[in-house]
Amino acid sequence: MAKDNLDRDLFVPAKQDDEGSEKIQRPSLSYWQDAWIRLRKNKGAIFGMIVLFIIFIMAIIGPFFNEKGINDQDLGLSKLPPRVQGLEDVRWLGLDGTKSDTFEASSVEAAKERLRQRYTQRDDEFMTYDVKSDKDGSAEVTGYFHIYEAKGLQDQYYWFGTDTLGRDLFTRTWYGTRISLYIAFLAAAIDMVIGVAYGGISAYYGGRVDDVMQRIIEILVGIPNLVVVILMIMILDPGIISITIALTITGWIGMARIVRGQVLKLKNQEFVLASRTLGSSNTRILSKHLIPNTLGMIIVNTMFTIPSAIFFEAFLSFIGLGLQSPQASLGTLINDGFKALQINPYIMIFPAIVISLIMIAFNILADGLRDALDPKMRE
Amino acid sequence: MENILEVKDLNISFDTYGGEVKAIRGVSFDLKKGETLAIVGESGSGKSVTTRAIARLIPSPPGRITSGEILFEGKDLVKASEKQMQNIRGKDISTIFQDPMTSLNPTMKIGNQIMEGLIKHQKMPRGQAKKRTVELLELVGLPNASERVDQYPHQFSGGQRQRVVVAIALACNPKILIADEPTTALDVTIQAQILELMKDIQKKTDSSIIFITHDLGVVANVADRVAVMYAGKIVEIGTVDDIFYNPKHPYTWGLLGSMPTLDSNEEELVAIPGSPPDMLKPPKGDAFAPRNEYALEIDKVQEPPMFKVSETHYAATWLLHEYAPDIEPPEAVKKRMKGFAKTGTIRTSEEGEKS
Amino acid sequence: MAKYIFQRLVYMFITLFIIATASFFLMKQLPGSPFKAEEKLSAAQLEILYEKYNLNDPLPIQYLNYLGNLFQGDLGVSFQMNNQPVTEILMSRIPVSAHLGIQAMIIGTIIGMLLGVVAALYSNSVIDYASNIISVIGISIPSFIFAGLLQYYLGVELGILPVAFWGSFAHTIMPTIALAIFPLAISARFVRTELIEVLGSDYIVTARAKGVSNATLMFKHGLRNALIPLVTVMGPMAVSLMTGTLVIEQIFAVPGIGEQFVTSIMTDDFPIIMGTTLFFAFFFILIILVIDILYGIIDPRIRIAGGKD
């Protein structure tokens, strides 16, 4: 043993610093602070939040960005491709305000002729060409038709283009987003209120009441909501309110089941019993134990309801049961776009991108919230 | 007696988001043929990690054996390939886990779970393996064994499941049986039965057992030698007599002081103050010093080495250094030690005999 | 178990009865006449048609007739399609939809499972992130948008697959992909979560401690336990396929039951609407029942619980 190196003076009883060992290392956080910290670490959820924030803002102010109205029809301006200031030279983005097509023919001139016919042009004034290949007897030419110039709209910019009736798609897309979000939020809110009330009452009263209420749910669950929604829309004329009602007729069942399950579970859990034993009042048990532990699930479930409502609204438009023109939602816009898909795909692309972004953002945000609000995830 | 297992200066780390956790810091011990070594300590002291490392069952990542040797019959298991380990696990070294409720595959018949090892290691045909399985279930004291082989885990009670887990571990007559708190999750009466069962089987098969527990009562019952672990290190190791009659480390005093006995008259139990250190940033010097009322100034500066008390007994505390002041164990512990001497440490668990 | 199945069948019957009744009375509320498409009909001709279809009887009589016919499997005749019996129309349409749906379900689930297993085995790797992105996209983006993109790029731009209609295997490819994406995404995500949980469970450590090989560990202990719960998401999958067929068949002009349904909605052909509604409801309830029973059969824990019930 290397006793030579040791300082003899150190072999005395140590002074105890009592505070040191018992100090709690982490600051104590409330449930919501803790959940927020966990949510912030989730990059996907943050991405979802930012995307949704931007889309909400655009849904509110987007329709006022230009002087074009929602229903300003002008058949002379129909099917204009998108054109954005500053991006006119970036051809591959497709935002340069030209229509283009590629033809193969026996010679360059023959191909050009076919392009002229394609855009009903007599001369090359508004056409530019890009000769892809030119071998003996076979040529491939891409032609660009500068439709804005041809129509004398050099100073006009339709950022998302125009639809078949010449309406500005930028205005309509954000207007449609507003309607879709409105329907979705309304439906989700109604689902939440009915579901929480039904589930809460069922679990709170228990016994006979619960039995009857559960039998009703069991029967309702058997009815596919697809069928209910379609039947309801056929009876009520399609409109914002009737679509919302149709979506909520069976939509609340999921929420009711979740709330009931959670309240039943919590009611008998030991921390609730412990709290009751310690003399807590019902209000305190409700506000400190039952609500915080159920609220997370309610929020998460609502977050999943919203995209599904948006989907259903779009779906209804698609099978001809959506909002009627001149009203617009993302679903009707996509449906209109579909009819022109083969020649003018951009009519569908922009509302499709917006609806996809909304759906993705809501889903990943809801996933992130679910993980963040799950008390089991607390460390 | 020859050593069947020698662990030399084992270091194991876990890579977590918070940084590297040094879970095991230089653990050395050996295990003789036919003996039972108990490892005791608080939760998180590294008992389970050490024994899982022996069977190389530490998930990697995040776990890493950073240095050291685990010599099984002279062969270093740290360097063994996964294939070689698969041939050792279950056959030479097998493990009984803590929680019988979760350690059986819920969708596989009990019989198949036991047979798996037999078919793999002893190349038994299915029919023969099934016969042996029934024998094993009878050996571990499960009635109606021939019917129960075709049942699923959820059809068994906790104690019965633990018997099945024991049967799985014993299937191939392992040389080393690692029991990782095999009775913690069980009722007291069932605990005693399982302990009896393990002692019986050890007598029959002459295997060595490493027994992990934080229950010193169990240790007194089953062990030949005891290793006390704290914060990833062995702080004291010796025979049962050494540890119970002549404990040297203040942590061992603390453990003994906090152990209730039937024979002691005094009501008071002595608790060890504080909680184990955060292994993300282990304190400088002796990790136990902050909770140790007998700590010396040197404990804050330098970790104590292992001091030899006797041929069989070692402890890592500066109190054993020749410069150290003479410090006696606390009264409560001394009284307790006298109590052990009076009744004899090894009490057989009569209360568990009635099955 | 028998008692349980019987109880479920009773519920199934009640639900179907409610749907049949509700759809009957709701259809009666529909504005407009079912013959509005034929504008040239005179009042007298309309009267003959009404008489022919018993539309002049009091509502309760019509209802009882309807129920009576329903019990005999007679869903009435189409008003728009030359008096063809609805049952016959449905029967001719179902095989096409079933073909598409089953093909999409199988392909989607298998690819999704593989993706989920790989993602779980290499969790937090590039593959895992990619699989995660695929499943988020697949769950989020509506199938008709996929269908549109496929149709435009593969059909119109590249011209490698037929844009629409039904006939050869090539015709089935795009609708199948569009329909398969949701089951793929759901099963990939589900299998990943389950497998990670299973691989971290105690019994996997027990199995490793027995010395079983990695392959046995993975297939006998891991995958089996991870895949059993996959059955529970088959319900939502089937529902999404049902919803999906309505639009997908419409987009690709597939002569299936969904396309027929949408056409009937546009033309107010309510015997077909009611027939299809009932069929969808029946199919949905049946699927849920089959899934519950199947789950009981393959999971020994449920099996016993069901037996005691």
Side-chain angles (χ1 to χ4, degrees), chain A residues 215 218-219 221-222 227 230-231 234-235 314-315 318-319 321 338 341-342 345 355 359-360 363-364 367, chain C residues 11 15 18 26-27 30 136 140-141 144-145 148 152 163 189 243 246-247 251 261 265-266 273 277 284-285:
Chain A
R215 290 299 88 77
E218 257 166 80
I219 289 166
V221 150
V227 167
I230 289 175
L231 286 178
M234 294 191 67
I235 307 305
F315 166 80
F318 220 90
I319 59 173
L321 292 175
F338 241 99
L341 177 70
Q342 306 209 358
I355 202 175
M359 302 281 285
I360 291 174
N363 273 310
I364 56 181
D367 274 343
Chain C
Y11 274 122
T15 311
I18 290 175
L26 287 176
M27 286 297 115
L30 267 187
V136 167
S140 307
I141 299 184
F144 48 81
I145 289 181
Y152 182 70
V163 174
R189 165 184 278 215
T243 319
L246 293 195
V247 282
I251 291 169
F261 190 47
I265 290 172
M266 311 247 181
I273 299 177
T277 306
F284 173 81
I285 297 169

Side-chain angles (χ1 to χ4, degrees), chain A residues 279-300:
Chain A
S280 302
S281 64
N282 272 340
T283 342
R284 189 181 161 79
I285 289 176
L286 213 64
S287 66
K288 288 283 166 194
H289 298 300
L290 296 186
I291 291 177
N293 281 293
T294 317
L295 203 54
M297 277 194 164
I298 295 173
I299 292 174
V300 170

